[in-house]
């Protein structure tokens, strides 16, 4: 599966000898989002994404992907150099990569608790202790006025691919999960409710409201200062869970946090 629009160039330096992943960054921090917020965690961030949210806080995995290829053994060795029991596999979109399965399975064999941060458009069978699913709302679509490149060329593709109810249902049915919606304003709630009702019809697993998290949009403290209280109010009004972006509160938008 291509990882970006220019997949040949992206794949050119892929090593052939062992299973490997294009890694944008690997770092130790506190889980900043969701049910496990505050837990010391190693983050493995793959490069490449099948969507292009205009607000993506990991621009160098989506709009302009950069990476170094790392063998799975190297990744696990670097993870093990930190004293943590939790590993988050994120991106970009980690589930576009076949090798994500092998990495997760090996991490599970080593006894790590694994979380996958995913946009929910791709299902894979792997060792996943928590599927942290962030379905993308219409307000994420990179229309020409919001596109960080300024031309809106990804808008149609993003719009067509961002919600796949079958993939979402497969993830929810297979794994412990949380649904973490990025909220830009009050108008987003209607779409969240529509997605939830379609999903609840499609799953055999119940989705309690406290597995539904509203997360304020914002990549800096200043942006969150403008969004977080309105999103907290929406969580109370509708009975969903609020999640902070603890890493932004603590370290703003510093890399490796
Ligand atoms: C960079 S994404 C990588 C994983 C996957 N592609 C996804 O979107 O879920 C990691 C998390 O950051 C969230 N996120 C990205 N940009 C954001 C922003 N500007 N404000 C709030 N959350 C954001 C995503 O929704 C997701 O929950
Ligand atoms: N501290 C911290 N927590 C996070 N939780 C999810 C993240 C992500 O980018 O997927 C993330 C991140 O980038 N940093
Ligand atoms: S799906 Fe995730 S990584 Fe891809 S553009 Fe959106 S926020 Fe960024
Ligand atoms: Mg992040």
């Amino acid at each position: 599966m291509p990882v970006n629009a220019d997949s040949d160039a992206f794949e050119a330096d892929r090593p052939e000898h062992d299973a490997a992943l294009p890694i944008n960054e690997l770092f130790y921090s506190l889980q900043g989002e969701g049910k496990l917020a505050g837990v010391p965690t190693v983050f493995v961030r793959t490069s490449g994404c099948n969507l292009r949210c205009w607000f993506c806080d990991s621009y160098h995995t989506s709009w302009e992907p950069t990476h170094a290829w790392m063998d799975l053994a190297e990744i696990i060795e670097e993870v093990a150099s930190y004293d943590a029991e939790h590993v988050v596999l994120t991106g970009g979109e980690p589930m576009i990569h076949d090798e994500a399965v092998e990495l997760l399975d090996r991490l599970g064999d080593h006894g790590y608790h694994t979380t996958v941060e995913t946009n929910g458009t791709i299902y894979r069978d792997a060792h996943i202790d928590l599927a942290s699913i962030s379905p993308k709302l219409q307000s994420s679509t990179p229309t020409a006025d919001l596109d960080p490149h300024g031309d809106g060329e990804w808008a149609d593709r993003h719009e067509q691919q961002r919600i796949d109810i079958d993939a979402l249902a497969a993830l929810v049915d297979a794994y412990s999960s949380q649904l973490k919606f990025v909220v830009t304003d009050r108008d987003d709630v209607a779409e969240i409710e529509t997605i939830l009702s379609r999903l609840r019809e499609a799953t055999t697993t119940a989705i309690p409201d406290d597995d539904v998290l509203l997360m304020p949009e914002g990549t800096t403290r200043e942006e969150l200062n403008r969004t977080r209280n309105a999103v907290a109010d929406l969580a109370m009004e509708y009975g969903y869970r609020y999640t902070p972006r603890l890493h932004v509160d603590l370290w703003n938008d510093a890399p490796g946090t």
Side-chain angles (χ1 to χ4, degrees), residues 5-218:
D6 187 10
S7 61
D8 290 345
F10 192 81
E11 294 281 310
D13 57 347
R14 177 200 274 266
E16 283 170 16
H17 56 283
D18 189 14
L21 281 164
I23 300 299
N24 174 264
E25 56 178 355
L26 193 161
F27 60 95
Y28 179 53
S29 185
L30 299 178
Q31 170 58 284
E33 306 167 12
K35 290 176 178 179
L36 292 174
V39 176
T41 299
V42 180
F43 289 83
V44 180
R45 189 182 306 284
T46 58
S47 201
C49 188
N50 58 341
L51 299 182
R52 290 292 186 281
C53 306
W54 66 266
F55 54 57
C56 184
D57 65 3
S58 302
Y59 182 87
H60 289 286
T61 68
S62 51
W63 289 98
E64 283 191 28
T66 59
H67 62 276
W69 286 94
M70 288 178 76
D71 293 346
L72 301 193
E74 282 178 78
I75 296 171
I76 289 166
E77 194 181 319
E78 198 161 329
V79 167
S81 72
Y82 299 101
D83 186 17
E85 292 167 15
H86 285 249
V87 178
V88 166
L89 182 63
T90 184
E93 177 46 54
M95 299 293 246
I96 65 175
H97 302 291
D98 293 343
E99 296 79 2
V101 171
E102 175 77 16
L103 177 63
L104 288 161
D105 289 349
R106 287 204 217 168
L107 288 168
D109 291 346
H110 282 80
Y112 289 105
H113 179 285
T114 60
T115 297
V116 176
E117 301 285 346
T118 178
N119 60 31
T121 58
I122 298 164
Y123 172 81
R124 289 184 188 272
D125 181 7
H127 179 103
I128 297 173
D129 293 305
L130 177 63
S132 177
I133 309 166
S134 184
K136 290 300 175 296
L137 304 175
Q138 195 183 359
S139 60
S140 70
T141 298
T143 50
D145 52 325
L146 293 169
D147 183 334
H149 285 188
D151 50 18
E153 70 171 4
W154 263 86
D156 287 349
R157 189 164 156 190
H158 179 96
E159 192 52 36
Q160 279 158 25
Q161 293 191 20
R162 66 186 173 81
I163 297 295
D164 180 331
I165 292 291
D166 292 338
L168 289 171
L171 288 164
V172 167
D173 279 335
Y175 305 117
S176 293
S177 64
Q178 61 188 12
L179 292 159
K180 187 169 50 135
F181 293 95
V182 177
V183 179
T184 60
D185 70 26
R186 156 174 296 278
D187 295 343
D188 289 337
V189 177
E191 188 184 0
I192 292 171
E193 304 234 280
T194 304
I195 292 169
L196 281 175
S197 76
R198 291 176 65 199
L199 191 51
R200 282 174 167 144
E201 295 232 320
T203 53
T204 53
T205 312
I207 304 173
D209 281 354
D210 58 7
D211 285 349
V212 178
L213 289 73
L214 306 189
M215 179 161 72
E217 193 277 323

Side-chain angles (χ1 to χ4, degrees), residues 214 229-242:
L214 306 189
N229 281 75
V231 175
D233 288 346
L234 288 171
M236 288 197 290
E237 186 176 333
Y238 288 89
Y240 299 128
R241 192 189 287 213
Y242 171 83

